[in-house]
Amino acid sequence: MILTIIEEPADILRQKTQDIAEITPDILQLMDDMYETMKHSDGVGIAAPQVNENVSVALVQLDDEDELFEMINPVITEVEGSDIFVEGCLSIPHVFGTVDRKTRIVVEYYNRQGEFIRLEAYDYLARAIQHEIDHLNGVLFTDKMIEEIKEEDLESYYEKYESEMNADD
Ligand code: CO
């Protein structure tokens, strides 16, 4: 079921979420619904507060063919490096801006089978996970935004970023 995405301003987006003590059928259903909602909105990540649930669950999938990470009670345990890049958020439509994020993280969480997972993530995957875990702590990317990028300037921002990347090679 596609759920309604809560948009800023909303108290639920500003609360620290509750850890999940037991993976119940309701939690599995929530994860399925969050996935459907994320895909429907063309998002690369979604956190439970964005669908009005105050629990520590976040999903990240960068592309349809990429691995889906379903994270219960995720905690970042190691960080390294830093990179500034543009972000947006399903809960803050039409706002985009640059955020400084770690380029390598280790995140520990439980998957839907209740297995403990220790994931090492880099670059854009690491960025997306940091963005979603911020949601679980009531933090929005706009709190950390360095510079707002107007929606009509996004394409030229990406082009400039790519040409700088190529120049580094
Ligand atoms: Co977001």
Side-chain angles (χ1 to χ4, degrees):
M1 186 174 68
I2 293 168
L3 305 171
T4 302
I5 292 181
I6 305 295
E7 295 182 1
E8 200 199 25
D11 289 345
I12 186 85
L13 295 176
R14 291 308 191 172
Q15 292 168 10
K16 187 169 166 38
T17 51
Q18 299 292 314
D19 273 354
I20 287 170
E22 191 191 350
I23 303 170
T24 61
D26 281 354
I27 292 296
L28 296 177
Q29 184 63 52
L30 172 66
M31 294 172 95
D32 291 343
D33 290 344
M34 284 170 63
Y35 183 75
E36 212 177 314
T37 306
M38 175 178 81
K39 286 289 141 185
H40 181 253
S41 310
D42 266 333
V44 298
I46 193 167
Q50 295 183 277
V51 294
N52 211 23
E53 293 289 340
N54 186 32
V55 292
S56 185
V57 173
L59 273 55
V60 169
Q61 187 184 40
L62 297 187
D63 218 327
D64 286 342
E65 308 81 53
D66 289 330
E67 187 175 347
L68 166 65
F69 298 98
E70 297 179 302
M71 298 176 285
I72 297 169
N73 302 347
V75 179
I76 292 172
T77 56
E78 288 180 31
V79 296
E80 203 181 318
S82 116
D83 178 54
I84 294 170
F85 194 62
V86 70
E87 292 182 18
C89 181
L90 297 178
S91 294
I92 317 171
H94 309 298
V95 175
F96 301 89
T98 52
V99 182
D100 195 349
R101 298 285 189 188
K102 305 300 179 187
T103 53
R104 174 191 169 271
I105 63 167
V106 172
V107 58
E108 296 180 348
Y109 61 92
Y110 294 89
N111 66 12
R112 66 159 56 219
Q113 284 83 29
E115 296 162 337
F116 178 76
I117 306 289
R118 182 182 181 278
L119 172 71
E120 192 169 12
Y122 294 87
D123 302 321
Y124 195 59
L125 177 60
R127 173 174 297 276
I129 292 171
Q130 288 168 84
H131 178 116
E132 298 314 325
I133 291 180
D134 272 355
H135 273 300
L136 301 179
N137 290 305
V139 175
L140 301 175
F141 87 94
T142 43
D143 300 344
K144 300 178 167 182
M145 191 162 69
I146 297 166
E147 182 194 4
E148 185 169 353
I149 310 282
K150 287 196 169 52
E151 204 166 6
E152 61 265 31
D153 296 335
L154 274 178
E155 208 169 315
S156 60
Y157 177 87
Y158 290 130
E159 281 170 13
K160 182 168 165 279
Y161 186 85
E162 274 175 28
S163 65
E164 281 172 11
M165 281 277 129
N166 292 334
D168 287 346
D169 287 347

